[in-house]
């Protein structure tokens, strides 16, 4: 199916000529009730000049009809129908390319902003600190409002640090803001990752520009947690986790010895979780991605980490400074849902 831009508002291109505050990007693939709720949450944000950009990646005809009807009533919303699954990084790149906002704010299709001023607070924080390349939002469960443990991927312990701001190397996909100039300079997401690890891969390139990343607990997204999806490691999830981690290490200049140790560690963890085959497939899949990266001349400089970036990563990814014994013990920890 050819790409199709759906909008009932012919003045939208004229409105977008000048930069405005933010584009909220949302990826859609069925789950239409949740997606429409996310769109409405984004469209109703107050105190900020923004647009909402939706990329649908192959929803059923009846669900697409509902999305089109929703968009028709919202002048600031655009819907791009690509008819196939581009993956998370590919879909986000396509959505970001639709707009001109100074900031790109991603919201999962099963999430909503906590209130009508969430986006304004994110924009204000980015405006306040021009050294910020990105902000990670606090992700809480939609019903209970407690911290979404499945969306906590920081080295800091969630119990101690979820309620305070801190400098970090990453953000969480369910809700975050990126400075567009930084996003464009580093070439956006690496679409070959498809899903798993695309945020950290992008963040390292943003850090390489000399910018920083913060976690901000006062900027909150409510996430409709789906446990059945989070624990499905036996499908492609663990395979892609292994593949993308090794591939990103390769792009950022890890030595062959480091890659070999990492591959072995993933296989050990695969054995401990009954996932040796996905781990092995992930290791094998790294070679194809690495070969394509070597052959491509596009934006390789973005992956050459500066000494400042390496020092920043060592400082804020402090779990990498653990003792050898601690790292070995972590290999025995069960993946979420595998215990």
């Amino acid at each position: 199916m050819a790409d199709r831009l759906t909008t009932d508002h012919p003045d939208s291109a004229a409105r977008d000529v000048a930069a405005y505050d933010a584009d909220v990007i949302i990826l859609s693939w069925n789950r239409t009730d949740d997606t429409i709720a996310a769109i409405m949450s984004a469209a109703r944000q107050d105190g900020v000049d923004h647009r909402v950009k939706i990329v649908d990646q192959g929803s059923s005809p009846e669900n697409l009809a509902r999305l089109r009807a929703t968009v028709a009533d919202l002048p600031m919303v655009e819907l791009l129908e690509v008819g196939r699954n581009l993956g998370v990084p590919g879909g986000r790149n396509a959505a970001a390319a639709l707009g001109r906002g100074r900031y790109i704010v991603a919201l999962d299709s099963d999430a909503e902003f906590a209130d009508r001023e969430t986006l304004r607070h994110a924009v204000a924080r980015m405006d306040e600190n021009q050294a910020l390349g990105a902000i990670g939002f606090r992700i809480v469960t939609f019903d209970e409002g407690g911290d979404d443990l499945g969306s906590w991927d920081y080295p800091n312990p969630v119990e101690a640090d979820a309620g305070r701001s801190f400098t970090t190397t990453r953000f969480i996909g369910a809700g975050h803001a990126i400075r567009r100039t930084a996003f464009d300079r580093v070439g956006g997401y690496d679409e070959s990752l498809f899903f798993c690890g695309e945020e950290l891969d992008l963040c390292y390139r943003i850090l390489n520009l000399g910018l920083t990343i913060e976690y901000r607990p006062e900027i909150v997204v409510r996430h409709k947690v789906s446990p059945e999806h989070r624990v499905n490691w036996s499908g492609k999830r663990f395979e892609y986790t292994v593949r993308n981690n090794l591939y990103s290490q390769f792009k950022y200049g890890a030595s062959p010895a480091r890659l070999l140790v990492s591959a072995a560690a993933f296989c050990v963890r695969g054995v401990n979780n009954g996932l040796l085959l996905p781990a092995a497939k992930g290791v094998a899949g790294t070679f194809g991605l690495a070969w394509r990266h070597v052959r491509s001349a596009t934006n390789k400089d973005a992956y050459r980490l500066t000494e400042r970036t390496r020092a920043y990563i060592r400082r804020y990814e402090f779990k990498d400074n653990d003792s050898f014994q601690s790292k070995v013990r972590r290999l025995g920890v069960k993946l979420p849902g595998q215990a």
Side-chain angles (χ1 to χ4, degrees), residues 208-224:
N208 223 24
L209 299 176
L211 300 172
T212 61
I213 299 172
E214 282 185 347
Y215 165 80
R216 302 297 300 189
E218 75 278 12
I219 305 172
V220 180
V221 162
R222 299 165 60 213
H223 193 204
K224 300 169 186 175

Side-chain angles (χ1 to χ4, degrees), residues 116-292:
R116 295 180 66 153
E117 295 194 338
T118 302
L119 185 58
R120 181 178 69 81
H121 291 311
V123 168
R125 178 56 189 160
M126 295 291 281
D127 282 346
E128 180 183 15
N129 185 353
Q130 294 297 311
L132 275 177
I135 290 176
F137 302 165
R138 187 174 191 170
I139 314 299
V140 302
T141 58
F142 188 86
D143 293 324
E144 292 82 15
D147 289 298
D148 178 7
L149 302 183
S151 294
W152 185 266
D153 191 35
Y154 301 101
N156 313 50
V158 61
E159 301 85 358
D161 290 342
R164 72 173 188 90
S165 62
F166 53 81
T167 302
T168 183
T169 60
R170 62 187 70 199
F171 52 71
I172 304 304
H176 60 267
I178 306 171
R179 192 175 299 276
R180 181 179 287 276
T181 52
F183 184 86
D184 290 342
R185 282 181 63 188
V186 302
Y189 285 100
D190 182 346
E191 297 183 8
S192 66
L193 295 173
F194 201 74
F195 81 97
C196 287
E198 64 275 357
E199 290 91 3
L200 186 61
D201 183 87
L202 174 66
C203 284
Y204 276 14
R205 283 177 279 141
I206 291 175
L207 294 175
N208 223 24
L209 299 176
L211 300 172
T212 61
I213 299 172
E214 282 185 347
Y215 165 80
R216 302 297 300 189
E218 75 278 12
I219 305 172
V220 180
V221 162
R222 299 165 60 213
H223 193 204
K224 300 169 186 175
V225 181
S226 301
E228 67 275 11
H229 295 297
R230 291 197 179 284
V231 299
N232 188 22
W233 294 98
S234 58
K236 288 285 189 180
R237 188 179 185 90
F238 193 63
E239 177 184 338
Y240 281 0
T241 296
V242 173
R243 185 197 70 170
N244 293 353
N245 184 289
L246 295 175
Y247 171 53
S248 290
Q249 286 191 54
F250 172 82
K251 287 188 296 181
Y252 286 108
S255 67
R258 172 68 182 267
L259 291 170
L260 182 62
V261 170
S262 295
F266 275 121
C267 288
V268 169
R269 195 161 195 195
V271 169
N272 289 339
N273 286 273
L275 298 170
L276 178 58
L277 182 58
K281 286 183 176 179
V283 172
T286 305
F287 290 96
L289 293 184
W291 176 242
R292 284 199 292 273

Side-chain angles (χ1 to χ4, degrees), residues 292-312:
R292 284 199 292 273
H293 178 73
V294 169
R295 294 182 61 188
S296 169
T298 304
N299 217 20
K300 280 196 178 67
D301 287 343
Y303 294 96
R304 296 189 176 96
L305 298 181
T306 66
E307 284 305 314
R308 176 201 174 277
T309 303
R310 293 182 185 278
Y312 182 107

Side-chain angles (χ1 to χ4, degrees), residues 10-44:
D11 64 328
S12 61
R15 285 199 315 272
D16 288 2
V17 169
Y20 42 90
D21 290 331
D23 290 301
V24 180
I25 62 173
I26 301 172
L27 304 185
S28 168
W29 188 21
N30 294 313
R31 286 200 306 196
T32 310
D33 289 339
D34 288 344
T35 302
I36 290 175
I39 293 171
M40 298 306 296
S41 171
R44 291 169 176 162

